[in-house]
Amino acid sequence: MTDREPSTAGTGDTPAMVEPVLIAAFEGWNDGGEAASTALEHLELTWDAESLTSIDPEEYYDFQVTRPHVKLSDGVTRRIEWQTTRLSWATLPGTDRHVVLVNGIEPNLRWRSFCAELVGHAQRLGVTKVITLGALLTEVPHTRPTPVNGTSWDAESLARMGTEPANYEGPTGIVAVFQQACVQAGIPAVSYWAEVPHYVSQAQVPKAAVALLHRIEEALDVEVPLGGLPEKAEEWERTVSEMADADDEVREYVRQLEEQASESEAEDTQAGLRDTSGDSIAADFERYLRRRGPNS
């Protein structure tokens, strides 16, 4: 995201897109364990995303906080690279549909103007729905599958994309502000949030990024090749387990979290059995096979 000069060029060469979906993630407060930004960058690489445009950072970023980088070119020439929010596009594999990817940094200033600018790009590109990604630090054990919660601000998104109404109250970040701006502009928008163990000191949590990518697969009904991320996730879990086992207090704390998770999973399973029909299970399995193809 920081390897190209910011530019608003490209708006005149926008490709014709078919039912484009916009997926956005923002570094910073909304990105616990760098899970959302890691997932977004993985999609850019996996889908061979092509650059569309970028946001001029001058109006939205405090450069003493989000500092530009000095780079060497040919070992001699120095140039400044401005960190900002960038848009790219790709064709969803196996379909004729398109996706717009927003690889962002939470702005320091003028959030409403920033979101209005992003919504303007979405409208110009004909975006049909928006998916935002986030990750938060919570009391979950690192040894269990990463919980991912899907939330929506409006009834249309709730019905069309199978998420829950948002019921959180408290401080929020640019993800929620952008999601609301999309809904107010008439674009259905949902948000997927991974829960990251708060006691883990490592900056990056690949296990949570993998969980978010699985939700993208389900939402778009396409396969997302995971590359080396599952191996990184397994290595991360082993490392955290070794660190936890070396500390009696942390080991006991993790054990308590695992017990709580087991109780919660049992309750969810019972509720799911009551609400799930044989037809819906069969439909879910067919969608899985279609994404993975005949050779899976």
Side-chain angles (χ1 to χ4, degrees), residues 176-193:
V177 177
F178 177 54
Q179 184 183 7
Q180 186 182 49
C182 291
V183 172
Q184 290 175 338
I187 306 174
V190 299
S191 190
Y192 294 122
W193 286 80

Side-chain angles (χ1 to χ4, degrees), residues 40-231:
L40 199 287
E41 288 168 6
H42 181 81
L43 293 176
E44 288 178 321
L45 292 171
T46 300
W47 289 340
D48 268 339
E50 298 181 35
S51 178
L52 266 176
T53 188
S54 59
I55 302 296
D56 185 341
E58 189 73 20
E59 296 297 317
Y60 306 117
Y61 296 99
D62 178 349
F63 296 138
Q64 290 182 322
V65 178
T66 307
R67 289 185 177 273
H69 293 171
V70 174
K71 294 288 186 178
L72 291 178
S73 179
D74 300 325
V76 179
T77 307
R78 291 163 65 89
R79 59 191 175 91
I80 302 293
E81 291 184 348
W82 300 89
Q83 299 188 88
T84 189
T85 293
R86 305 180 188 281
L87 287 76
S88 59
W89 73 282
T91 302
L92 289 173
T95 78
D96 59 355
R97 295 177 291 147
H98 294 95
V99 63
V100 177
L101 301 173
V102 176
N103 193 340
I105 303 172
E106 184 174 70
N108 310 109
L109 308 165
R110 301 181 181 88
W111 283 21
R112 286 177 292 185
S113 298
F114 176 85
C115 290
E117 186 168 342
L118 281 181
V119 168
H121 285 301
Q123 291 173 321
R124 174 176 60 81
L125 295 167
V127 166
T128 57
K129 61 184 175 184
V130 169
I131 300 172
T132 55
L133 304 178
L136 69 162
L137 303 178
T138 65
E139 293 184 336
V140 293
H142 70 279
T143 52
R144 296 300 178 89
T146 300
V148 177
N149 302 308
T151 62
S152 61
W153 287 63
D154 63 312
E156 182 180 1
S157 299
L158 176 65
R160 289 176 55 182
M161 302 175 77
T163 56
E164 298 295 328
N167 56 13
Y168 168 76
E169 293 182 331
T172 193
I174 195 63
V175 167
V177 177
F178 177 54
Q179 184 183 7
Q180 186 182 49
C182 291
V183 172
Q184 290 175 338
I187 306 174
V190 299
S191 190
Y192 294 122
W193 286 80
E195 296 187 32
V196 177
H198 72 92
Y199 56 86
V200 177
S201 59
Q202 286 96 332
Q204 196 173 74
V205 181
K207 185 175 181 178
V210 170
L212 286 171
L213 291 171
H214 283 315
R215 290 304 295 266
I216 292 296
E217 282 190 322
E218 294 169 5
L220 301 184
D221 198 19
V222 297
E223 179 185 0
V224 177
L226 298 176
L229 274 178
E231 288 76 17

